[in-house]
Amino acid sequence: MTSLPKRRFLGLSLLLAGLGFAGGVLAQTYPSKPVTLMVPYPAGGLSDVIARTVNTALAKHLGQPVVVENLGGVSGALAAQKVLNAPADGYQIFQGSPNELILSPLANSAVKFKSEDFRLVQLVAVAPMAVLARGDLPVSNGDELVAYASQAAREQKPLTYASVGPGSFYHLMGEHLSKLVGVPMTHVPYKGAAPALQDLMGSQVDIFITPFGKPQLEMAQQGRLKFVATLSPERLDHLKNVPTLNESKALKGFVFNIWTGYFVKKDTPEPVVQALHKALSETLGDAAMRASLEAQSQFVSKPLSLAEAARYYSEGTAQFRAIAKSIQLQPQ
């Protein structure tokens, strides 16, 4: 009677030992083939530029090629779902931001995943944001913007603001700003940043709250659009002449940025996550990669521990869900 429990105990011990051995093997063998970096937007945009800047350095530290795959659609959720449908083995990495993983499930009833279905392995870059305006909009700071929007609303001609789609980060920022100052504005959604910028330069829309890089700075220098204010806590070194919304009386504390991180499915084996985390952390120290991203006005993140990454993602999710609730964002 006593031998059966012993056999069971021995069997369980062997099983656990086997699992531990398997985890060790995974850590030693991952990756043993090329890794796919899934980008949730078409080639040519800022997300694609980031991916094709990071992938070469990441491949060096992983010891395997990192292949960029672009798959746009459903505000980035199409690519995210493809990663969820793949095996949880670390060979499909998702390049994500709050747009796809936090806001898309809140805004689109067709999106069935939750933010918690993904695990942030490492933060890569943080992009500053700005209020861009048509070149002839007669405002040059946050308070003037609010005053102009108030006057336009009184004249039954509400200020228009662009976004890359309902429920996108840019939509959330415009609606949040409108609600904070108590001034109605009209949302004009676009399929992407390129057509939004095109209409902004053509004075078809008044403002666009968006990340920016070298192309937008050049457009401003040419007088095709203007920087009204940034959403940074303090003035940026390369835009000292542009105020922050945080300096204004009406929008003090309106401080936001948008980040890019690399994600895997939440149930990816821990040894694989640790190996990928190590490679990404080393990649962040690559001088050529850092210089290339900084040239695109991206601030390269300092490496986060896995615990810090989990906390960063959790806090970001809570922050944007609270804003979505405050503006009564409904899935469509």
Side-chain angles (χ1 to χ4, degrees):
M1 294 293 292
T2 58
S3 61
L4 184 59
K6 285 181 180 177
R7 286 196 204 101
R8 286 178 177 168
F9 177 77
L10 180 60
L12 180 59
S13 298
L14 289 171
L15 176 62
L16 291 174
L19 289 173
F21 176 74
V25 170
L26 278 171
Q28 292 172 8
T29 61
Y30 173 84
S32 59
K33 60 182 181 179
V35 173
T36 297
L37 177 56
M38 185 66 66
V39 179
Y41 300 103
L46 183 58
S47 294
D48 183 59
V49 170
I50 292 172
R52 295 180 191 277
T53 300
V54 172
N55 74 321
T56 301
L58 179 57
K60 180 173 64 176
H61 293 290
L62 279 176
Q64 288 286 347
V66 177
V67 181
V68 175
E69 180 177 341
N70 299 87
L71 182 61
V74 198
S75 300
L78 197 62
Q81 189 61 58
K82 183 173 181 178
V83 172
L84 287 181
N85 291 343
D89 55 10
Y91 286 98
Q92 290 267 3
I93 307 170
F94 184 73
Q95 180 177 290
S97 75
N99 252 339
E100 309 85 39
L101 298 186
I102 301 174
L103 299 176
S104 183
L106 300 177
N108 193 326
S109 58
V111 177
K112 302 304 180 185
F113 62 76
K114 304 187 299 296
S115 305
E116 290 79 5
D117 292 335
F118 289 86
R119 181 178 182 183
L120 176 61
V121 181
Q122 188 59 272
L123 193 67
V124 174
V126 177
M129 299 187 68
V131 180
L132 304 184
R134 54 183 169 86
D136 58 349
L137 194 73
V139 302
S140 57
N141 57 53
D143 286 325
E144 289 180 2
L145 175 66
V146 173
Y148 183 88
S150 299
Q151 180 62 33
R154 286 193 293 270
E155 295 174 357
Q156 304 297 311
K157 298 177 182 178
L159 196 75
T160 55
Y161 70 93
S163 86
V164 297
S168 65
F169 187 87
Y170 318 136
H171 174 207
L172 210 70
M173 290 295 94
E175 201 63 30
H176 188 44
L177 186 152
S178 173
K179 185 177 179 64
L180 283 177
V181 298
V183 176
M185 300 193 304
T186 299
H187 176 216
V188 183
Y190 291 85
K191 291 183 178 181
L197 284 167
Q198 194 66 39
D199 271 9
L200 187 70
M201 290 185 289
S203 295
Q204 301 302 305
V205 66
D206 294 316
I207 64 170
F208 184 25
I209 304 176
T210 178
F212 63 89
K214 189 176 179 181
Q216 289 75 29
L217 293 171
E218 292 175 348
M219 292 170 192
Q221 289 170 356
Q222 296 162 2
R224 301 165 71 191
L225 55 77
K226 67 163 57 177
F227 278 73
V228 175
T230 68
L231 275 60
S232 303
E234 299 174 348
R235 294 197 184 197
L236 300 171
D237 289 340
H238 60 301
L239 281 177
K240 284 293 188 183
N241 61 324
V242 177
T244 68
L245 288 183
N246 197 37
E247 295 174 41
S248 67
K249 295 178 181 178
L251 289 164
K252 187 170 183 60
F254 199 91
V255 175
F256 292 95
N257 55 44
I258 189 164
W259 45 262
T260 299
Y262 284 5
F263 294 79
V264 293
K265 291 173 67 171
K266 67 176 181 180
D267 53 351
T268 300
E270 191 65 23
V272 172
V273 174
Q274 290 177 1
L276 181 56
H277 176 263
K278 180 176 183 293
L280 281 167
S281 298
E282 292 168 349
T283 298
L284 291 177
D286 186 280
M289 187 216 69
R290 294 182 68 91
S292 183
L293 286 182
E294 287 166 1
Q296 295 293 327
S297 294
Q298 299 286 311
F299 297 118
V300 180
S301 172
K302 69 178 183 64
L304 301 180
S305 69
L306 284 169
E308 288 171 333
R311 185 163 58 250
Y312 190 95
Y313 185 41
S314 176
E315 290 174 353
T317 300
Q319 177 191 34
F320 292 117
R321 282 177 177 170
I323 295 174
K325 185 177 180 180
S326 74
I327 66 170
Q328 299 179 332
L329 180 67
Q330 298 295 323
Q332 298 177 3

